[in-house]
Amino acid sequence: MRRISKVMAVFAVTAAAFLTAGCSGKNERTLYLYNWTYYTPKEVVKRFEDKFNVRVRLDSYSTCEEMYAKLKAGAKGYDIVIPSNDFVSIMLKQGMLRELDQSKLTNRDKINPQIIEKMGFDPEMLYAVPYALSATGVMVNKSKVSDPGYERSYSIFADKQFAGHATMMDDMREVFGVSLLHLGYDMNSLNDAELDAAYNLVRTEWKPNIVKFDAEGFGKSFASGDFWLCQGYPEIVYGEVDESRWDDLIDFFIPPEGGPATLDCMVILKDAPHYELANEFINFIHEPENYALFIDEFRYPCVVNPAALEYVTTKPMYDPEQALKCTLKEDLGEGLDKYSERWQGVRFTD
């Protein structure tokens, strides 16, 4: 899973420093891929290497901020990176990406039109090809609830039966995003009155139930029974619970209001040394048989490439239709300061 612990993040940074040294080589039959840690199926890479008689060198990062900072600091030699949609937008504006060779993208028709509709940052898919859609939602530990008739909306965070056993993400965009949605506003709003209303909802109605804001460790605490109610990435919880217990222990849902989502995309860097090979790799990923390997390994709903469903052999963590109703977190530019100011009031005041 791409959501990893801080220990693994440190390892990833160390490995990245080591591997980058090899990126200055002149081997024309090597593709240099820079991706999230644990986000590249090995079997897909092997298939690509065998088909094109090439070698793929993989370097990894734990956050988009880490990837972006490294590239801006002058790291060279990478061909493909896989940033989230907000960073695709930033990198496009800063001229960091090279336009795709559309003649190589023969699997373009395999991409779900509903996903392309969400790509306001690149509506014609000229620079970015979707890799995976990940969404956050709500998880309830069904073995701990006293009243199984809880409301399946974000108002659940005000439900007193979860007091002292609830957690929300330590992420201002996620927390304010769902509070804005719950109030009927745009999740990416920069309207001060709407942001104030979202802040007051979180501060006065939800926070009293929250034992901590946690973006990483809540999966283990859910599995151990300490957390009964979590907001976050479902893979973090499902990854900590034995699959035989998924159905009887975990109630995962994305409320009717929707939720925040992230669309990770494959892009080619402006100075990519192996441009043609990079285009081939992006297209290769979306061969349905290959994309099915990605779904089988990571258990995401198969919403980006529906044609792969014919070859998928595993059960997804949650219903694909839930993911499709989510809203992408957009790059807010300087408007992000409005969120930061209010987040301080949530996190650091009683």
Side-chain angles (χ1 to χ4, degrees):
M1 301 301 179
R2 72 182 178 91
R3 316 296 176 185
I4 62 174
S5 68
K6 290 182 179 179
V7 173
M8 292 309 299
V10 172
F11 173 81
V13 172
T14 304
F18 174 78
L19 288 170
T20 303
C23 284
S24 59
K26 301 296 185 180
N27 184 358
E28 292 301 318
R29 300 304 299 170
T30 300
L31 177 74
Y32 291 96
L33 175 64
Y34 196 19
N35 195 5
W36 298 83
T37 304
Y38 303 132
Y39 207 36
T40 312
K42 293 179 181 178
E43 181 58 29
V44 175
V45 170
K46 183 178 183 302
R47 286 186 181 185
F48 181 78
E49 289 178 326
D50 291 344
K51 179 175 181 178
F52 289 91
N53 190 28
V54 299
R55 183 183 182 189
V56 175
R57 288 290 301 272
L58 174 64
D59 204 343
S60 58
Y61 50 89
S62 57
T63 67
C64 276
E65 288 80 6
E66 176 191 330
M67 172 274 296
Y68 176 77
K70 185 173 179 178
L71 295 178
K72 294 298 284 186
K76 302 290 184 182
Y78 295 119
D79 295 301
I80 297 172
V81 295
I82 305 183
S84 299
N85 57 278
D86 51 344
F87 273 82
V88 175
S89 178
I90 292 169
M91 295 168 78
L92 266 173
K93 292 173 183 175
Q94 296 184 359
M96 297 174 66
L97 306 180
R98 184 169 177 180
E99 189 167 340
L100 302 169
D101 181 350
Q102 296 295 323
S103 70
K104 297 287 187 181
L105 194 55
T106 58
N107 288 315
R108 182 188 179 100
D109 64 331
K110 306 297 191 303
I111 308 298
N112 190 341
Q114 291 177 275
I115 296 296
I116 298 177
E117 286 176 7
K118 294 178 179 291
M119 295 177 61
F121 54 93
D122 185 19
E124 296 182 33
M125 217 162 64
L126 298 178
Y127 292 87
V129 173
Y131 186 69
L133 180 75
S134 57
T136 57
V138 178
M139 286 144 286
V140 175
N141 187 324
K142 294 192 287 188
S143 71
K144 297 295 183 179
V145 295
S146 56
D147 178 9
Y150 50 82
E151 189 170 347
R152 293 168 66 84
S153 77
Y154 292 113
S155 63
I156 194 172
F157 288 100
D159 188 332
K160 293 303 179 186
Q161 73 170 311
F162 298 105
H165 296 280
T167 180
M168 297 189 78
M169 294 187 72
D170 192 8
D171 185 314
M172 62 186 181
R173 292 296 307 280
E174 291 284 341
V175 174
F176 286 142
V178 298
S179 58
L180 285 163
L181 287 170
H182 186 62
L183 293 169
Y185 301 135
D186 180 356
M187 192 191 77
N188 296 295
S189 175
L190 291 175
N191 179 284
D192 287 316
E194 294 174 357
L195 288 171
D196 285 342
Y199 165 80
N200 289 329
L201 174 62
V202 175
R203 181 75 180 79
T204 63
E205 296 186 32
W206 294 355
K207 187 177 178 180
N209 279 354
I210 304 299
V211 64
K212 68 182 296 188
F213 290 93
D214 182 357
E216 291 183 336
F218 62 86
K220 291 184 183 297
S221 295
F222 184 100
S224 69
D226 292 332
F227 290 168
W228 304 350
L229 172 66
C230 300
Q231 177 214 15
Y233 294 102
E235 57 262 35
I236 293 181
V237 165
Y238 281 92
E240 296 292 342
V241 176
D242 188 275
E243 186 171 353
S244 65
R245 302 188 65 204
W246 281 8
D247 290 338
D248 59 74
L249 191 67
I250 306 170
D251 179 17
F252 171 77
F253 60 91
I254 296 174
E257 307 97 298
T262 299
L263 183 64
D264 297 319
C265 296
M266 296 178 284
V267 298
I268 300 176
L269 292 172
K270 190 76 171 181
D271 57 357
H274 309 104
Y275 174 72
E276 293 301 323
L277 202 55
N279 278 283
E280 295 284 8
F281 183 85
I282 290 173
N283 189 61
F284 185 82
I285 287 289
H286 280 294
E287 286 288 346
E289 300 94 330
N290 297 329
Y291 197 78
L293 292 175
F294 174 85
I295 295 299
D296 280 340
E297 183 162 342
F298 298 110
R299 310 296 287 272
Y300 284 122
C302 191
V303 296
V304 169
N305 184 332
L309 278 170
E310 179 182 352
Y311 305 96
V312 171
T313 62
T314 57
K315 176 184 176 181
M317 290 177 290
Y318 54 96
D319 185 347
E321 291 305 314
Q322 294 201 68
L324 287 171
K325 67 184 179 184
C326 289
T327 303
L328 296 185
K329 291 177 286 184
E330 298 175 358
D331 168 32
L332 300 180
E334 295 181 359
L336 195 62
D337 290 342
K338 294 187 176 186
Y339 284 73
S340 299
E341 293 165 3
R342 291 168 174 83
W343 187 238
Q344 300 304 308
V346 169
R347 289 291 279 110
F348 304 111
T349 60
D350 294 330

